[in-house]
Amino acid sequence: MDVEARKDSSPTRGKLTRRLLVALNCGMLALGTTAGPLITRLYYDKGGRREWLSAWLQSAGWPLLLLPAAASYAARRARDGRGAPLLLTPPRVLLAAAGLGVATGADNFVYAYSLRYLPVSTSAILISTQLVFTVFFAFLIVRQRLTAATVNAVALLTAGAAVLGLHVSSDRPAGATKGQYMMGFIMTLGAAALYGLILPLVELAYKRAAGGGRAVTYALVMEVQLVMGFFATAFCTVGMVVNKDFQAIQREANHFELGEARYYMVLVWAAVLWQFFFLGAVGVIFCVHTLLAGILIAVFIPVTEVAAVIFLHEKFSGGKGMALVLSLWGLASYSYGEWSEARAKKKAEIVAEAQAS
């Protein structure tokens, strides 16, 4: 192969690698978004009662990232010798990742607590309002531009949550009072708001890394997520120690409706699936931008809804259906606006290139 051929093939390989990364991270985000809440709700439905344990499981899968991080370091060591850096992430970005990890741990607890008193089908619609908060904070933090489609989507998602709030007595889980249901309702919105803030802050951390002269690679993204996962888990571990959750695990396993062995399988799969969610989210932010991560999290609402009805036998009321329609309408409006803007931008670039030549 001659030099010119290698030059031509290099950009093609780069685009292919990027597309594969986007597809991989979108797949992980989709799986975590739909299956994570279902397995957490299963834990509660079959006898689980520990909110701190449930929150801890959402980030406890972080050691899975040690394998790709170690492989990345080994590749650098083979290429650069002993001078290869142990970590690619600048110290100040690692410090920011630690802070984001603590915030993620707090968000995990708020969400885990709220899901104890809400069915997954209701929680999923409320979590879609995360896009509202992501849009708002992305505008403030990373200067993401607001469009008419964005404002319309925000209005529709807000209306969907309001409609859902009017039907608070229709689908409470067994044993949950109306007050507990309302607390779960409010806390789910709080979890959506906090994670809507975390996503743009992650993108800002990447920009800070790039501003420091470091190339923002996928290996760096995994390092950031590893640090976030470690500190989120440490935060929830403190809560578990104070709440004496570690001592209660064996008692819960003994009384779990599906049996002791399946109890531990539920815990393991919860850790794995939630790790897919978080790694997929930061990966999508790296490959594209924050708002796409917010869109994907919200766009899988119907899948979560159907799965909750099929596997957990949850009710699907008319009010919930109306809220779902409004949410999907908002997402469709936003997605169409983004597609139209991207198409117009691409046409403008083609015209500019033609005029330049």
Side-chain angles (χ1 to χ4, degrees):
M1 184 182 291
D2 58 25
V3 174
E4 291 300 321
R6 285 197 298 270
K7 287 182 179 179
D8 292 340
S9 63
S10 182
T12 302
R13 285 198 301 270
K15 288 181 179 179
L16 178 60
T17 300
R18 188 174 184 84
R19 287 173 182 172
L20 288 175
L21 275 178
V22 171
L24 175 63
N25 284 283
C26 287
M28 288 192 294
L29 183 57
L31 183 59
T33 299
T34 54
L38 292 174
I39 201 161
T40 299
R41 185 65 244 176
L42 178 67
Y43 164 78
Y44 287 131
D45 281 349
K46 301 304 178 182
R49 293 291 181 270
R50 298 283 163 171
E51 295 91 354
W52 278 111
L53 172 60
S54 181
W56 184 84
L57 291 170
Q58 292 180 45
S59 58
W62 67 267
L64 295 173
L65 300 181
L66 289 173
L67 291 175
S72 175
Y73 172 70
R76 292 195 300 273
R77 183 69 180 267
R79 184 181 66 243
D80 302 330
R82 293 185 177 181
L86 179 62
L87 296 174
L88 295 173
T89 312
R92 63 175 182 171
V93 177
L94 287 176
L95 184 61
L100 288 171
V102 173
T104 300
D107 184 65
N108 290 348
F109 175 72
V110 173
Y111 177 72
Y113 195 95
S114 68
L115 197 56
R116 180 173 177 180
Y117 301 114
L118 289 181
V120 172
S121 50
T122 299
S123 178
I125 296 175
L126 292 176
I127 285 294
S128 71
T129 60
Q130 176 192 291
L131 181 60
V132 175
F133 300 107
T134 302
V135 166
F136 175 71
F137 289 121
F139 170 72
L140 292 179
I141 296 171
V142 293
R143 303 304 179 190
Q144 191 79 36
R145 192 169 66 87
L146 293 178
T147 63
T150 302
V151 175
N152 185 51
V154 167
L156 289 168
L157 287 166
T158 304
V163 168
L164 198 61
L166 298 175
H167 297 80
V168 295
S169 62
S170 63
D171 63 346
R172 292 199 304 271
T177 66
K178 188 173 181 179
Q180 289 172 331
Y181 185 100
M182 283 303 301
M183 180 173 62
F185 192 98
I186 294 169
M187 291 183 75
T188 303
L189 290 176
L194 183 52
Y195 202 64
L197 171 63
I198 289 171
L199 288 178
L201 289 175
V202 171
E203 183 174 350
L204 182 63
Y206 293 161
K207 289 187 176 182
R208 289 285 187 267
R214 300 287 183 94
V216 181
T217 63
Y218 194 62
L220 184 146
V221 169
M222 286 189 294
E223 290 177 5
V224 169
Q225 178 56 30
L226 192 153
V227 172
M228 287 177 61
F230 173 81
F231 279 92
T233 305
F235 177 86
C236 293
T237 299
V238 173
M240 288 183 67
V241 171
V242 173
N243 203 45
K244 298 182 179 180
D245 281 8
F246 287 107
Q247 297 92 318
I249 289 176
Q250 186 58 55
R251 293 198 303 272
E252 277 199 344
N254 292 337
H255 296 91
F256 199 63
E257 292 181 22
L258 299 178
E260 183 176 348
R262 289 184 179 178
Y263 173 82
Y264 290 110
M265 287 296 295
V266 166
L267 299 191
V268 170
W269 276 109
V272 172
L273 291 169
W274 279 115
Q275 192 57 47
F276 282 172
F277 168 81
F278 287 112
L279 185 57
V282 297
V284 169
I285 293 171
F286 160 71
C287 294
V288 191
H289 53 60
T290 299
L291 290 183
L292 179 61
I295 293 169
L296 288 175
I297 291 169
V299 84
F300 283 98
I301 293 172
V303 180
T304 307
E305 295 274 339
V306 172
V309 172
I310 293 174
F311 296 110
L312 300 179
H313 309 293
E314 293 185 357
K315 297 178 182 178
F316 193 80
S317 63
K320 196 180 293 185
M322 184 179 297
L324 177 61
V325 168
L326 287 171
S327 298
L328 293 177
W329 184 7
L331 291 170
S333 172
Y334 179 83
S335 300
Y336 178 76
E338 287 287 296
W339 175 80
S340 298
E341 186 176 352
R343 188 180 181 186
K345 185 178 180 180
K346 189 173 182 179
K347 284 184 177 179
E349 289 175 353
I350 293 174
V351 170
E353 289 177 1
Q355 291 175 346
S357 60

